[in-house]
Amino acid sequence: MEFPFIIAMNLIAWAAYYAGWSGGGHPERFAVAVLLMHALIEVLFREWHVNGIDVGIAAGQFLLLLVFGWLALISDRWWPLAAVAILILIMLVHALTMATPLSYFSATSARVGLWTMLHLTVLAGVGGRWLAGEARVSRLGRRAPSGRTPG
């Protein structure tokens, strides 16, 4: 039964999206926007199968790997590099599905666990910003009502 794990993964994903958008910096917001766009676009290509292999999902996740690789190169954050490592592992699961008799359920189970790790990595990145005392992007340009600085 994978159903409880998928529910847990989705709850963690939405927590990461909320935390990344409301409490993150520019890299975290960019990552949340890219992850949400990926989730929306992936629905369109979910049914693209070649010999039982999810080529639509694999292609979308490869593009996601490229975007996070670019983010890791231009960002001064640690978590995009960890996200790239997790996405490489996801791509390895796709490659193993093509090269070995790995069952669909085993591959799906591995990807669910790795996606959970990816979302936990985004949460940890936002938590690191919070622990460092960095201001949220949503508060950087605002003025306080009575001339006080926000914070």
Side-chain angles (χ1 to χ4, degrees), residues 114-144:
L114 289 168
W115 273 101
T116 303
M117 287 301 299
L118 180 68
H119 293 115
L120 286 171
T121 301
V122 173
L123 273 174
V126 175
R129 278 184 54 85
W130 179 72
L131 288 173
E134 295 180 25
R136 299 187 320 243
V137 171
S138 59
R139 301 219 19 148
L140 288 180
R142 291 189 187 166
R143 293 181 126 179

PDB file of all heavy atoms in Angstrom, residues 114-144:
ATOM      1  N   LEU A 114      12.356   9.587  -2.647  1.00  0.00           N
ATOM      2  CA  LEU A 114      13.302  10.620  -3.069  1.00  0.00           C
ATOM      3  C   LEU A 114      12.625  11.977  -3.222  1.00  0.00           C
ATOM      4  O   LEU A 114      13.212  13.020  -2.878  1.00  0.00           O
ATOM      5  CB  LEU A 114      13.986  10.197  -4.372  1.00  0.00           C
ATOM      6  CG  LEU A 114      14.984   9.046  -4.204  1.00  0.00           C
ATOM      7  CD1 LEU A 114      15.394   8.495  -5.554  1.00  0.00           C
ATOM      8  CD2 LEU A 114      16.196   9.507  -3.416  1.00  0.00           C
ATOM      9  N   TRP A 115      11.390  11.994  -3.706  1.00  0.00           N
ATOM     10  CA  TRP A 115      10.664  13.261  -3.792  1.00  0.00           C
ATOM     11  C   TRP A 115      10.385  13.829  -2.397  1.00  0.00           C
ATOM     12  O   TRP A 115      10.427  15.040  -2.194  1.00  0.00           O
ATOM     13  CB  TRP A 115       9.365  13.096  -4.567  1.00  0.00           C
ATOM     14  CG  TRP A 115       9.577  13.276  -6.035  1.00  0.00           C
ATOM     15  CD1 TRP A 115       9.682  12.291  -6.969  1.00  0.00           C
ATOM     16  CD2 TRP A 115       9.744  14.500  -6.730  1.00  0.00           C
ATOM     17  NE1 TRP A 115       9.905  12.835  -8.194  1.00  0.00           N
ATOM     18  CE2 TRP A 115       9.945  14.197  -8.084  1.00  0.00           C
ATOM     19  CE3 TRP A 115       9.756  15.838  -6.335  1.00  0.00           C
ATOM     20  CZ2 TRP A 115      10.154  15.177  -9.041  1.00  0.00           C
ATOM     21  CZ3 TRP A 115       9.960  16.809  -7.302  1.00  0.00           C
ATOM     22  CH2 TRP A 115      10.155  16.475  -8.629  1.00  0.00           C
ATOM     23  N   THR A 116      10.114  12.947  -1.445  1.00  0.00           N
ATOM     24  CA  THR A 116       9.935  13.405  -0.066  1.00  0.00           C
ATOM     25  C   THR A 116      11.223  14.042   0.442  1.00  0.00           C
ATOM     26  O   THR A 116      11.198  15.102   1.073  1.00  0.00           O
ATOM     27  CB  THR A 116       9.508  12.235   0.836  1.00  0.00           C
ATOM     28  OG1 THR A 116       8.302  11.664   0.314  1.00  0.00           O
ATOM     29  CG2 THR A 116       9.267  12.689   2.263  1.00  0.00           C
ATOM     30  N   MET A 117      12.355  13.423   0.133  1.00  0.00           N
ATOM     31  CA  MET A 117      13.650  13.995   0.528  1.00  0.00           C
ATOM     32  C   MET A 117      13.889  15.344  -0.150  1.00  0.00           C
ATOM     33  O   MET A 117      14.432  16.266   0.472  1.00  0.00           O
ATOM     34  CB  MET A 117      14.789  13.026   0.184  1.00  0.00           C
ATOM     35  CG  MET A 117      14.859  11.824   1.080  1.00  0.00           C
ATOM     36  SD  MET A 117      15.092  12.254   2.821  1.00  0.00           S
ATOM     37  CE  MET A 117      16.646  13.101   2.745  1.00  0.00           C
ATOM     38  N   LEU A 118      13.491  15.470  -1.406  1.00  0.00           N
ATOM     39  CA  LEU A 118      13.667  16.744  -2.111  1.00  0.00           C
ATOM     40  C   LEU A 118      12.879  17.859  -1.424  1.00  0.00           C
ATOM     41  O   LEU A 118      13.409  18.955  -1.192  1.00  0.00           O
ATOM     42  CB  LEU A 118      13.226  16.600  -3.573  1.00  0.00           C
ATOM     43  CG  LEU A 118      13.352  17.856  -4.428  1.00  0.00           C
ATOM     44  CD1 LEU A 118      14.807  18.207  -4.651  1.00  0.00           C
ATOM     45  CD2 LEU A 118      12.643  17.673  -5.732  1.00  0.00           C
ATOM     46  N   HIS A 119      11.638  17.570  -1.062  1.00  0.00           N
ATOM     47  CA  HIS A 119      10.819  18.587  -0.401  1.00  0.00           C
ATOM     48  C   HIS A 119      11.335  18.885   1.007  1.00  0.00           C
ATOM     49  O   HIS A 119      11.299  20.031   1.456  1.00  0.00           O
ATOM     50  CB  HIS A 119       9.356  18.165  -0.380  1.00  0.00           C
ATOM     51  CG  HIS A 119       8.762  18.142  -1.747  1.00  0.00           C
ATOM     52  ND1 HIS A 119       8.319  16.982  -2.336  1.00  0.00           N
ATOM     53  CD2 HIS A 119       8.563  19.120  -2.660  1.00  0.00           C
ATOM     54  CE1 HIS A 119       7.858  17.267  -3.541  1.00  0.00           C
ATOM     55  NE2 HIS A 119       7.997  18.549  -3.760  1.00  0.00           N
ATOM     56  N   LEU A 120      11.831  17.867   1.703  1.00  0.00           N
ATOM     57  CA  LEU A 120      12.432  18.111   3.018  1.00  0.00           C
ATOM     58  C   LEU A 120      13.697  18.948   2.899  1.00  0.00           C
ATOM     59  O   LEU A 120      14.014  19.743   3.798  1.00  0.00           O
ATOM     60  CB  LEU A 120      12.735  16.779   3.714  1.00  0.00           C
ATOM     61  CG  LEU A 120      11.528  16.024   4.264  1.00  0.00           C
ATOM     62  CD1 LEU A 120      11.932  14.630   4.740  1.00  0.00           C
ATOM     63  CD2 LEU A 120      10.862  16.804   5.385  1.00  0.00           C
ATOM     64  N   THR A 121      14.408  18.811   1.792  1.00  0.00           N
ATOM     65  CA  THR A 121      15.598  19.630   1.555  1.00  0.00           C
ATOM     66  C   THR A 121      15.224  21.097   1.382  1.00  0.00           C
ATOM     67  O   THR A 121      15.897  21.981   1.923  1.00  0.00           O
ATOM     68  CB  THR A 121      16.356  19.114   0.313  1.00  0.00           C
ATOM     69  OG1 THR A 121      16.723  17.757   0.540  1.00  0.00           O
ATOM     70  CG2 THR A 121      17.585  19.935   0.024  1.00  0.00           C
ATOM     71  N   VAL A 122      14.153  21.359   0.653  1.00  0.00           N
ATOM     72  CA  VAL A 122      13.679  22.745   0.510  1.00  0.00           C
ATOM     73  C   VAL A 122      13.269  23.292   1.876  1.00  0.00           C
ATOM     74  O   VAL A 122      13.610  24.430   2.227  1.00  0.00           O
ATOM     75  CB  VAL A 122      12.524  22.838  -0.506  1.00  0.00           C
ATOM     76  CG1 VAL A 122      11.933  24.239  -0.532  1.00  0.00           C
ATOM     77  CG2 VAL A 122      12.997  22.440  -1.894  1.00  0.00           C
ATOM     78  N   LEU A 123      12.562  22.486   2.656  1.00  0.00           N
ATOM     79  CA  LEU A 123      12.185  22.914   4.014  1.00  0.00           C
ATOM     80  C   LEU A 123      13.412  23.208   4.870  1.00  0.00           C
ATOM     81  O   LEU A 123      13.444  24.193   5.614  1.00  0.00           O
ATOM     82  CB  LEU A 123      11.337  21.834   4.689  1.00  0.00           C
ATOM     83  CG  LEU A 123       9.843  21.866   4.451  1.00  0.00           C
ATOM     84  CD1 LEU A 123       9.174  20.643   5.066  1.00  0.00           C
ATOM     85  CD2 LEU A 123       9.228  23.125   5.008  1.00  0.00           C
ATOM     86  N   ALA A 124      14.427  22.366   4.771  1.00  0.00           N
ATOM     87  CA  ALA A 124      15.652  22.584   5.539  1.00  0.00           C
ATOM     88  C   ALA A 124      16.358  23.858   5.089  1.00  0.00           C
ATOM     89  O   ALA A 124      16.937  24.576   5.916  1.00  0.00           O
ATOM     90  CB  ALA A 124      16.581  21.378   5.404  1.00  0.00           C
ATOM     91  N   GLY A 125      16.320  24.147   3.791  1.00  0.00           N
ATOM     92  CA  GLY A 125      16.917  25.387   3.303  1.00  0.00           C
ATOM     93  C   GLY A 125      16.223  26.615   3.865  1.00  0.00           C
ATOM     94  O   GLY A 125      16.873  27.581   4.268  1.00  0.00           O
ATOM     95  N   VAL A 126      14.900  26.576   3.914  1.00  0.00           N
ATOM     96  CA  VAL A 126      14.146  27.691   4.502  1.00  0.00           C
ATOM     97  C   VAL A 126      14.430  27.768   6.003  1.00  0.00           C
ATOM     98  O   VAL A 126      14.599  28.862   6.555  1.00  0.00           O
ATOM     99  CB  VAL A 126      12.639  27.532   4.235  1.00  0.00           C
ATOM    100  CG1 VAL A 126      11.834  28.604   4.945  1.00  0.00           C
ATOM    101  CG2 VAL A 126      12.366  27.572   2.740  1.00  0.00           C
ATOM    102  N   GLY A 127      14.511  26.608   6.656  1.00  0.00           N
ATOM    103  CA  GLY A 127      14.836  26.599   8.085  1.00  0.00           C
ATOM    104  C   GLY A 127      16.218  27.168   8.355  1.00  0.00           C
ATOM    105  O   GLY A 127      16.430  27.860   9.359  1.00  0.00           O
ATOM    106  N   GLY A 128      17.153  26.906   7.468  1.00  0.00           N
ATOM    107  CA  GLY A 128      18.492  27.480   7.619  1.00  0.00           C
ATOM    108  C   GLY A 128      18.476  28.992   7.512  1.00  0.00           C
ATOM    109  O   GLY A 128      19.188  29.688   8.249  1.00  0.00           O
ATOM    110  N   ARG A 129      17.677  29.513   6.598  1.00  0.00           N
ATOM    111  CA  ARG A 129      17.526  30.982   6.499  1.00  0.00           C
ATOM    112  C   ARG A 129      16.931  31.541   7.786  1.00  0.00           C
ATOM    113  O   ARG A 129      17.356  32.586   8.280  1.00  0.00           O
ATOM    114  CB  ARG A 129      16.592  31.341   5.342  1.00  0.00           C
ATOM    115  CG  ARG A 129      17.225  31.359   4.010  1.00  0.00           C
ATOM    116  CD  ARG A 129      16.233  31.822   2.965  1.00  0.00           C
ATOM    117  NE  ARG A 129      15.601  33.095   3.264  1.00  0.00           N
ATOM    118  CZ  ARG A 129      16.109  34.290   2.985  1.00  0.00           C
ATOM    119  NH1 ARG A 129      17.273  34.366   2.406  1.00  0.00           N
ATOM    120  NH2 ARG A 129      15.468  35.387   3.287  1.00  0.00           N
ATOM    121  N   TRP A 130      15.938  30.840   8.330  1.00  0.00           N
ATOM    122  CA  TRP A 130      15.288  31.307   9.547  1.00  0.00           C
ATOM    123  C   TRP A 130      16.271  31.292  10.717  1.00  0.00           C
ATOM    124  O   TRP A 130      16.340  32.239  11.493  1.00  0.00           O
ATOM    125  CB  TRP A 130      14.078  30.427   9.838  1.00  0.00           C
ATOM    126  CG  TRP A 130      13.355  30.805  11.084  1.00  0.00           C
ATOM    127  CD1 TRP A 130      12.567  31.897  11.287  1.00  0.00           C
ATOM    128  CD2 TRP A 130      13.366  30.085  12.312  1.00  0.00           C
ATOM    129  NE1 TRP A 130      12.081  31.901  12.566  1.00  0.00           N
ATOM    130  CE2 TRP A 130      12.564  30.796  13.224  1.00  0.00           C
ATOM    131  CE3 TRP A 130      13.973  28.910  12.736  1.00  0.00           C
ATOM    132  CZ2 TRP A 130      12.362  30.376  14.524  1.00  0.00           C
ATOM    133  CZ3 TRP A 130      13.763  28.485  14.030  1.00  0.00           C
ATOM    134  CH2 TRP A 130      12.968  29.223  14.903  1.00  0.00           C
ATOM    135  N   LEU A 131      17.057  30.202  10.824  1.00  0.00           N
ATOM    136  CA  LEU A 131      18.037  30.118  11.909  1.00  0.00           C
ATOM    137  C   LEU A 131      19.144  31.164  11.768  1.00  0.00           C
ATOM    138  O   LEU A 131      19.687  31.633  12.768  1.00  0.00           O
ATOM    139  CB  LEU A 131      18.650  28.714  11.959  1.00  0.00           C
ATOM    140  CG  LEU A 131      17.738  27.609  12.475  1.00  0.00           C
ATOM    141  CD1 LEU A 131      18.411  26.251  12.320  1.00  0.00           C
ATOM    142  CD2 LEU A 131      17.368  27.866  13.929  1.00  0.00           C
ATOM    143  N   ALA A 132      19.488  31.531  10.538  1.00  0.00           N
ATOM    144  CA  ALA A 132      20.512  32.552  10.307  1.00  0.00           C
ATOM    145  C   ALA A 132      19.980  33.963  10.538  1.00  0.00           C
ATOM    146  O   ALA A 132      20.751  34.915  10.556  1.00  0.00           O
ATOM    147  CB  ALA A 132      21.063  32.427   8.890  1.00  0.00           C
ATOM    148  N   GLY A 133      18.670  34.095  10.700  1.00  0.00           N
ATOM    149  CA  GLY A 133      18.075  35.401  10.962  1.00  0.00           C
ATOM    150  C   GLY A 133      17.923  36.266   9.727  1.00  0.00           C
ATOM    151  O   GLY A 133      17.780  37.484   9.840  1.00  0.00           O
ATOM    152  N   GLU A 134      17.946  35.654   8.535  1.00  0.00           N
ATOM    153  CA  GLU A 134      17.780  36.428   7.305  1.00  0.00           C
ATOM    154  C   GLU A 134      16.325  36.843   7.143  1.00  0.00           C
ATOM    155  O   GLU A 134      15.407  36.117   7.507  1.00  0.00           O
ATOM    156  CB  GLU A 134      18.214  35.603   6.098  1.00  0.00           C
ATOM    157  CG  GLU A 134      19.684  35.278   6.097  1.00  0.00           C
ATOM    158  CD  GLU A 134      20.095  34.466   4.892  1.00  0.00           C
ATOM    159  OE1 GLU A 134      19.402  34.541   3.855  1.00  0.00           O
ATOM    160  OE2 GLU A 134      21.098  33.756   4.992  1.00  0.00           O
ATOM    161  N   ALA A 135      16.132  38.013   6.565  1.00  0.00           N
ATOM    162  CA  ALA A 135      14.775  38.527   6.352  1.00  0.00           C
ATOM    163  C   ALA A 135      14.101  37.770   5.220  1.00  0.00           C
ATOM    164  O   ALA A 135      14.744  37.343   4.269  1.00  0.00           O
ATOM    165  CB  ALA A 135      14.829  40.012   6.026  1.00  0.00           C
ATOM    166  N   ARG A 136      12.790  37.608   5.353  1.00  0.00           N
ATOM    167  CA  ARG A 136      12.015  37.004   4.265  1.00  0.00           C
ATOM    168  C   ARG A 136      11.958  37.978   3.105  1.00  0.00           C
ATOM    169  O   ARG A 136      11.966  39.187   3.295  1.00  0.00           O
ATOM    170  CB  ARG A 136      10.591  36.705   4.735  1.00  0.00           C
ATOM    171  CG  ARG A 136      10.522  35.744   5.870  1.00  0.00           C
ATOM    172  CD  ARG A 136       9.087  35.358   6.191  1.00  0.00           C
ATOM    173  NE  ARG A 136       8.142  36.459   6.112  1.00  0.00           N
ATOM    174  CZ  ARG A 136       7.442  36.927   7.125  1.00  0.00           C
ATOM    175  NH1 ARG A 136       7.603  36.395   8.312  1.00  0.00           N
ATOM    176  NH2 ARG A 136       6.590  37.896   6.972  1.00  0.00           N
ATOM    177  N   VAL A 137      11.872  37.448   1.907  1.00  0.00           N
ATOM    178  CA  VAL A 137      11.758  38.303   0.722  1.00  0.00           C
ATOM    179  C   VAL A 137      10.483  39.114   0.790  1.00  0.00           C
ATOM    180  O   VAL A 137      10.442  40.275   0.400  1.00  0.00           O
ATOM    181  CB  VAL A 137      11.805  37.454  -0.567  1.00  0.00           C
ATOM    182  CG1 VAL A 137      11.475  38.287  -1.779  1.00  0.00           C
ATOM    183  CG2 VAL A 137      13.164  36.836  -0.710  1.00  0.00           C
ATOM    184  N   SER A 138       9.433  38.528   1.316  1.00  0.00           N
ATOM    185  CA  SER A 138       8.152  39.222   1.372  1.00  0.00           C
ATOM    186  C   SER A 138       8.196  40.432   2.300  1.00  0.00           C
ATOM    187  O   SER A 138       7.324  41.273   2.254  1.00  0.00           O
ATOM    188  CB  SER A 138       7.047  38.267   1.815  1.00  0.00           C
ATOM    189  OG  SER A 138       7.343  37.731   3.074  1.00  0.00           O
ATOM    190  N   ARG A 139       9.254  40.558   3.133  1.00  0.00           N
ATOM    191  CA  ARG A 139       9.345  41.692   4.059  1.00  0.00           C
ATOM    192  C   ARG A 139      10.429  42.679   3.659  1.00  0.00           C
ATOM    193  O   ARG A 139      10.562  43.716   4.288  1.00  0.00           O
ATOM    194  CB  ARG A 139       9.650  41.187   5.455  1.00  0.00           C
ATOM    195  CG  ARG A 139       8.598  40.236   5.930  1.00  0.00           C
ATOM    196  CD  ARG A 139       8.207  40.337   7.312  1.00  0.00           C
ATOM    197  NE  ARG A 139       8.518  41.548   8.003  1.00  0.00           N
ATOM    198  CZ  ARG A 139       7.755  42.019   8.945  1.00  0.00           C
ATOM    199  NH1 ARG A 139       6.652  41.432   9.250  1.00  0.00           N
ATOM    200  NH2 ARG A 139       8.092  43.091   9.603  1.00  0.00           N
ATOM    201  N   LEU A 140      11.233  42.391   2.649  1.00  0.00           N
ATOM    202  CA  LEU A 140      12.388  43.227   2.346  1.00  0.00           C
ATOM    203  C   LEU A 140      12.011  44.619   1.869  1.00  0.00           C
ATOM    204  O   LEU A 140      12.623  45.594   2.265  1.00  0.00           O
ATOM    205  CB  LEU A 140      13.273  42.545   1.299  1.00  0.00           C
ATOM    206  CG  LEU A 140      14.046  41.333   1.805  1.00  0.00           C
ATOM    207  CD1 LEU A 140      14.881  40.744   0.684  1.00  0.00           C
ATOM    208  CD2 LEU A 140      14.938  41.694   2.963  1.00  0.00           C
ATOM    209  N   GLY A 141      11.026  44.757   1.012  1.00  0.00           N
ATOM    210  CA  GLY A 141      10.719  46.059   0.435  1.00  0.00           C
ATOM    211  C   GLY A 141       9.611  46.820   1.115  1.00  0.00           C
ATOM    212  O   GLY A 141       9.244  47.887   0.683  1.00  0.00           O
ATOM    213  N   ARG A 142       9.080  46.314   2.192  1.00  0.00           N
ATOM    214  CA  ARG A 142       7.929  46.950   2.849  1.00  0.00           C
ATOM    215  C   ARG A 142       8.376  48.039   3.816  1.00  0.00           C
ATOM    216  O   ARG A 142       9.419  47.946   4.440  1.00  0.00           O
ATOM    217  CB  ARG A 142       7.133  45.915   3.621  1.00  0.00           C
ATOM    218  CG  ARG A 142       6.429  44.950   2.749  1.00  0.00           C
ATOM    219  CD  ARG A 142       5.519  44.134   3.595  1.00  0.00           C
ATOM    220  NE  ARG A 142       4.923  43.068   2.806  1.00  0.00           N
ATOM    221  CZ  ARG A 142       4.306  42.061   3.315  1.00  0.00           C
ATOM    222  NH1 ARG A 142       4.179  41.951   4.621  1.00  0.00           N
ATOM    223  NH2 ARG A 142       3.787  41.128   2.545  1.00  0.00           N
ATOM    224  N   ARG A 143       7.523  49.014   3.959  1.00  0.00           N
ATOM    225  CA  ARG A 143       7.735  50.052   4.974  1.00  0.00           C
ATOM    226  C   ARG A 143       6.761  49.804   6.111  1.00  0.00           C
ATOM    227  O   ARG A 143       5.610  49.453   5.896  1.00  0.00           O
ATOM    228  CB  ARG A 143       7.461  51.415   4.401  1.00  0.00           C
ATOM    229  CG  ARG A 143       8.443  51.822   3.357  1.00  0.00           C
ATOM    230  CD  ARG A 143       8.076  53.172   2.907  1.00  0.00           C
ATOM    231  NE  ARG A 143       9.248  54.000   3.049  1.00  0.00           N
ATOM    232  CZ  ARG A 143       9.278  55.249   2.725  1.00  0.00           C
ATOM    233  NH1 ARG A 143       8.189  55.848   2.290  1.00  0.00           N
ATOM    234  NH2 ARG A 143      10.370  55.941   2.844  1.00  0.00           N
ATOM    235  N   ALA A 144       7.217  50.030   7.294  1.00  0.00           N
ATOM    236  CA  ALA A 144       6.323  49.908   8.459  1.00  0.00           C
ATOM    237  C   ALA A 144       5.399  51.125   8.488  1.00  0.00           C
ATOM    238  O   ALA A 144       5.759  52.209   8.029  1.00  0.00           O
ATOM    239  CB  ALA A 144       7.150  49.840   9.734  1.00  0.00           C
TER     240      ALA A 144
END
